[in-house]
Amino acid sequence: MVQEHKLIMVVEDEEDILALLQFNLMKAGYEVSCAARGVEALEKIAAKRPDLVLLDLMLPGIDGLEICRRLRADPSTADVPIIMLTAHGEEEDIVRGLELGADDYVTKPFSFKVLQARIQTVLRRNPDTDTPAEDDTFCCGDLQIHPGRNQVLVAGEPAELTFTEFRVLLTLASRPGWVFTRYQIVNAVRGDDYAVTDRAVDVQIAGLRKKLGSCGRYIETVRGVGYRFQENL
Ligand code: CA
């Protein structure tokens, strides 16, 4: 199996969680490197580039967000996938982490199965195929999105979306199951200089859901964090 050769760096200061993760990841066939402190994590990552980082946010000293920022700022680690390990009530940090470039997060306590599924998704991910090609039609139940034609069909009928609504939908649907923060949505749709408010995105989403009718349910609100396209309903 491919995953046998993947190196996962686990950054976690709680010893029991660290030990449990190490045990389960090794059992699942991954190579595992561990760090309980930010400095140690950065040193180990610099010495040997991991294929993925599991990153606890609440760490003594250099915290998870700062590690995330530094990894993204360094060209040699800019594209190493990061899954944040977060606690309940850390929504603001989750939002910041996603905006700093973390790929995903799981909230403690999590089942190892869930974490493993996220790891596999992130490791499989190919940045080149994230966005559907112009001619690719995206289908999900009664919903059809034709990127090249700027067209959306709900149960065969065209939905009259504004260009912005269309771009928001395309952004979310390009990575089903992944959470986008409002800021990320606006960036994807308008570029970096558009002055954004959370409210502006919420209004787009509300309009989009209404126009999509029965397919509006695919757009899920992730409380305190943002939105995601959920196809497995
Ligand atoms: Ca911690």
Side-chain angles (χ1 to χ4, degrees):
M1 286 198 294
V2 180
Q3 70 190 36
E4 282 173 11
H5 306 291
K6 299 285 185 187
L7 171 63
I8 298 186
M9 172 90 224
V10 186
V11 190
E12 170 64 74
D13 64 317
E14 284 161 71
E15 279 179 18
D16 48 348
I17 298 180
L18 185 63
L20 198 68
L21 281 173
Q22 184 178 23
F23 174 79
N24 280 306
L25 288 167
M26 288 176 76
K27 211 170 117 192
Y30 295 104
E31 199 182 321
V32 184
S33 171
C34 296
R37 296 287 181 276
V39 178
E40 187 191 353
L42 290 167
E43 282 171 3
K44 286 190 172 175
I45 291 169
K48 189 173 183 192
R49 185 185 185 279
D51 294 293
L52 184 142
V53 178
L54 294 180
L55 182 61
D56 181 30
L57 289 189
M58 293 277 281
L59 294 167
I62 299 173
D63 70 12
L65 289 177
E66 178 59 20
I67 292 173
C68 188
R69 198 187 62 73
R70 292 195 195 183
L71 292 180
R72 286 298 174 255
D74 181 342
S76 66
T77 54
D79 59 351
V80 173
I82 299 173
I83 298 178
M84 300 179 284
L85 307 175
T86 66
H88 282 293
E90 287 186 342
E91 280 80 8
E92 272 179 39
D93 288 338
I94 293 169
V95 169
R96 276 203 60 210
L98 291 171
E99 285 165 0
L100 284 170
D103 294 86
D104 202 354
Y105 68 93
V106 289
T107 303
K108 299 176 200 172
F110 49 80
S111 79
F112 185 71
K113 268 191 176 176
V114 168
L115 178 65
Q116 200 179 7
R118 301 287 180 88
I119 289 172
Q120 284 168 346
T121 303
V122 170
L123 287 177
R124 255 200 315 266
R125 193 178 134 217
N126 178 351
D128 298 337
T129 56
D130 262 358
T131 312
E134 287 296 292
D135 298 331
D136 274 357
T137 302
F138 175 90
C139 293
C140 180
D142 277 346
L143 181 67
Q144 284 180 38
I145 307 173
H146 300 277
R149 281 185 267 155
N150 284 352
Q151 192 187 46
V152 174
L153 300 177
V154 176
E157 295 293 318
E160 303 296 332
L161 305 185
T162 64
F163 184 68
T164 304
E165 287 166 348
F166 180 79
R167 297 288 303 162
V168 170
L169 178 62
L170 200 58
T171 300
L172 295 175
S174 68
R175 292 170 77 184
W178 290 69
V179 182
F180 289 82
T181 69
R182 292 171 174 85
Y183 181 77
Q184 288 175 317
I185 292 170
V186 169
N187 269 356
V189 171
R190 300 264 190 160
D192 285 344
D193 5 274
Y194 175 62
V196 65
T197 63
D198 286 359
R199 181 80 188 127
V201 175
D202 293 342
V203 168
Q204 294 295 333
I205 295 278
L208 193 50
R209 277 180 177 147
K210 203 171 160 190
K211 291 178 184 178
L212 292 179
S214 61
C215 292
R217 68 182 193 282
Y218 291 127
I219 300 172
E220 187 187 10
T221 303
V222 182
R223 220 174 142 192
V225 180
Y227 295 97
R228 82 174 137 213
F229 189 89
Q230 192 59 272
E231 57 185 347
N232 304 316
L233 293 171

